[in-house]
Each structure stands twice: as structure tokens, then as C-alpha cells.
Amino acid sequence: MILAALAVLCGLVMLVWSADRFVDGAARTASYFKVPPMLIGMLVVGFGTSAPELTVSVLSALKGSPDLAMGNVVGSNIFNVLLILGVTAAI
């Protein structure tokens, strides 16, 4: 139990650190190419946050389980739409 909690804590720390590095790198990329930071934020960070879903979908399709890939895409889109609708309704 203690080992599992320590692994989760370590994973969370690594996730926060890597996300911070990723955003800093995206900001530096924007300034280097003289691109507005908002555009880089939408493109680079958007692709970065979709990468885990893409990885799951590709790996499941390659292993012969296209149902998992399709469920991942449909579930992700449903969640994103409902999240935006919920936040909009709350505002």
C-alpha cells in the first residue's frame, strides 16, 4: 500500500514537472519563430494533450482491437463536448 502511494506521488510529481517543461518549450518555440503564443498554445499544446489518446488508439488498432480505438475517440469527443457545454452553462 505504501509503495503504491509512493509510486502515485512520484508519478504526479513527474507529470507536473514534465508539463511545466512542455509549456516552457512551447513558449520558447513561439518566440523563436515569431508566432503568437496563443497560436502555439492551441496547436502544440493541443497536439501534446491529444498524444496519449492517439497512442492508445494506434496501439489498440495494431493489436487487433479496433473497438477500443473507436471507443477512445468517441468517449473523448463526448467528454470534451459535454465539458464545454457544462462550463458554458455554469458561466
Side-chain angles (χ1 to χ4, degrees), residues 10-72:
C10 183
L12 183 63
V13 167
M14 289 173 45
L15 179 68
V16 169
W17 177 80
S18 63
D20 187 49
R21 301 273 303 165
F22 182 72
V23 171
D24 286 343
R28 272 192 233 115
T29 302
S31 66
Y32 178 77
F33 287 113
K34 307 286 191 263
V35 175
M38 180 66 102
L39 181 65
I40 289 294
M42 290 188 310
L43 293 175
V44 174
V45 176
F47 283 122
T49 57
S50 297
E53 293 171 357
L54 177 67
T55 303
V56 168
S57 295
V58 168
L59 289 176
S60 64
L62 289 175
K63 291 185 178 183
S65 181
D67 296 338
L68 182 62
M70 186 59 74
N72 188 21

